[in-house]
Amino acid sequence: MAMTPSLETAKKLKAIPDEEAWSLIRDYQKELQLLQQVYLAGGQRAIIALEGWDAAGKGGLIRRIAWAMDPRSLFVWPISAPNEVERRQHYLQRFWERLPLKGQFAIFDRTWYGRVLVERVEGFIEKPTWKRAYGEINDFEKALIDDGVHLIKIFLHVSRKEQHQRFCDRMEDPLKRWKLSTEDIRNRRQWDNYEVAIDEMFEKTSTAIAPWEVIYADDKRAARVAAMRYITRELSKGLDLTLPSLDPEVEKALRAED
């Protein structure tokens, strides 16, 4: 039985030189291109659910994935606070509406786990509500997997010191200041409470069919390599990665144009 992940046991990654990291990332990007074609041909579906501390590198990881893939079957959903309509609905409804169709990939930049993280820590919901959500989320994920969805859940973990440095870097960079808000700083003041909520989330929702992968992301390059290695490995499980043969009618039609 796999050990339940935790922030404390997340292993620091060995630093990777920039050139080596880019070489590895390009290799994984080629694998993603192959996987996208296999998923399209076989009608497979995949969800990559990303959680993590503010400034942990979710956006950078998403860009490395998206650069490699055809946007016609890749959808990235940045999740923020629910709007007025969504607040009147069941909290999972806005995620049901964004699930991938056959042949598609969906990346969620923050997820349904906001129910047991920000909504819990910030006191937006009562304790019985977020306690009940663990079972609801497990049932939701089981329903997806039973229906054939390949679900990957990654949490990017950074140290408190590293997060502070990244916030300072954002403040000094005019092109990145838009990423920093007073809400980020307010959330940081709740660091200890978030640690408790995150570890309980792992304990309650890292299941045999939908485990959490925690990646220590103080070193951005090493974290991106580790995440892309994990994603390509998990997306490949149980699949025949042989691309379909050329349709002879297509070849015949094209040859006739010579």
Side-chain angles (χ1 to χ4, degrees), residues 18-72:
D18 189 53
E19 185 176 342
E20 180 182 349
W22 273 113
S23 177
L24 289 168
I25 286 172
R26 283 192 292 269
D27 288 342
Y28 293 130
Q29 287 174 329
K30 290 178 182 177
E31 288 188 44
L32 286 172
Q33 290 174 340
L34 168 62
L35 283 164
Q36 189 173 32
Q37 295 305 310
V38 170
Y39 274 60
L40 279 168
Q44 302 290 331
R45 293 169 291 160
I47 293 175
I48 300 171
L50 295 179
E51 288 287 352
W53 296 101
D54 292 328
K58 295 183 297 297
L61 173 59
I62 291 170
R63 284 194 296 275
R64 271 65 183 183
I65 296 170
W67 286 347
M69 302 179 74
D70 190 319
R72 289 172 292 184

Side-chain angles (χ1 to χ4, degrees), residues 66-101:
W67 286 347
M69 302 179 74
D70 190 319
R72 289 172 292 184
S73 60
L74 171 68
F75 295 87
V76 178
W77 301 110
I79 302 300
S80 55
N83 60 36
E84 185 178 348
V85 173
E86 291 167 341
R87 284 195 294 271
R88 299 201 300 268
Q89 300 170 341
H90 190 280
Y91 72 97
L92 288 174
Q93 183 164 329
R94 61 177 174 152
F95 300 104
W96 279 110
E97 293 171 348
R98 292 169 169 83
L99 297 181
L101 305 178

Side-chain angles (χ1 to χ4, degrees), residues 16 19 77 139 161 204 216 235:
I16 301 176
E19 185 176 342
W77 301 110
D139 289 343
K161 179 180 179 181
K204 301 291 188 182
Y216 204 112
L235 289 177

Side-chain angles (χ1 to χ4, degrees), residues 243-248:
L243 287 172
S245 301
L246 175 64
D247 185 337

Side-chain angles (χ1 to χ4, degrees), residues 7-258:
L7 297 179
E8 185 178 355
T9 58
K11 294 181 179 179
K12 292 186 178 181
L13 300 174
K14 183 179 178 182
I16 301 176
D18 189 53
E19 185 176 342
E20 180 182 349
W22 273 113
S23 177
L24 289 168
I25 286 172
R26 283 192 292 269
D27 288 342
Y28 293 130
Q29 287 174 329
K30 290 178 182 177
E31 288 188 44
L32 286 172
Q33 290 174 340
L34 168 62
L35 283 164
Q36 189 173 32
Q37 295 305 310
V38 170
Y39 274 60
L40 279 168
Q44 302 290 331
R45 293 169 291 160
I47 293 175
I48 300 171
L50 295 179
E51 288 287 352
W53 296 101
D54 292 328
K58 295 183 297 297
L61 173 59
I62 291 170
R63 284 194 296 275
R64 271 65 183 183
I65 296 170
W67 286 347
M69 302 179 74
D70 190 319
R72 289 172 292 184
S73 60
L74 171 68
F75 295 87
V76 178
W77 301 110
I79 302 300
S80 55
N83 60 36
E84 185 178 348
V85 173
E86 291 167 341
R87 284 195 294 271
R88 299 201 300 268
Q89 300 170 341
H90 190 280
Y91 72 97
L92 288 174
Q93 183 164 329
R94 61 177 174 152
F95 300 104
W96 279 110
E97 293 171 348
R98 292 169 169 83
L99 297 181
L101 305 178
K102 289 185 177 180
Q104 293 181 347
F105 289 71
I107 302 176
F108 285 90
D109 182 356
R110 298 203 182 280
T111 69
W112 41 93
Y113 283 98
R115 193 69 163 180
V116 295
L117 293 177
V118 65
E119 292 185 40
R120 166 187 171 170
V121 173
E122 302 298 335
F124 296 146
I125 53 178
E126 299 295 329
K127 183 174 181 178
T129 303
W130 60 257
K131 293 283 281 188
R132 184 177 70 245
Y134 296 122
E136 295 169 342
I137 288 170
N138 287 338
D139 289 343
F140 170 62
E141 293 178 350
K142 184 177 186 302
L144 295 178
I145 293 166
D146 286 348
D147 198 44
V149 174
H150 296 251
L151 175 62
I152 295 171
K153 302 188 306 191
I154 293 176
F155 188 94
L156 296 181
H157 174 46
V158 292
S159 65
R160 196 168 187 169
K161 179 180 179 181
E162 177 64 19
Q163 186 194 61
H164 180 261
Q165 182 58 54
R166 292 185 187 183
F167 280 0
C168 291
D169 292 343
R170 287 181 176 183
M171 183 175 63
E172 298 298 329
D173 187 341
L175 295 178
K176 293 185 177 180
R177 285 175 187 162
W178 66 271
K179 294 183 177 183
L180 185 63
S181 68
T182 54
E183 184 176 345
D184 295 326
I185 299 167
R186 181 175 60 82
N187 290 343
R188 178 176 165 79
R189 292 172 183 154
Q190 292 266 36
W191 184 279
D192 292 343
N193 291 329
Y194 273 107
E195 282 188 326
V196 172
I198 291 164
D199 276 335
E200 187 167 357
M201 176 187 74
F202 293 150
E203 179 187 351
K204 301 291 188 182
T205 65
S206 191
T207 63
I209 61 171
W212 276 103
E213 177 73 3
V214 182
I215 296 176
Y216 204 112
D218 270 16
D219 186 294
K220 286 184 179 181
R221 288 191 292 265
R224 287 167 184 162
V225 168
M228 294 187 74
R229 179 189 302 119
Y230 180 74
I231 289 168
T232 53
R233 185 187 75 200
E234 294 301 307
L235 289 177
S236 302
K237 283 185 175 179
L239 293 180
D240 180 358
L241 300 184
T242 304
L243 287 172
S245 301
L246 175 64
D247 185 337
E249 292 300 318
V250 172
E251 182 177 13
K252 180 179 178 181
L254 184 58
R255 299 294 186 195
E257 295 295 315
D258 290 346

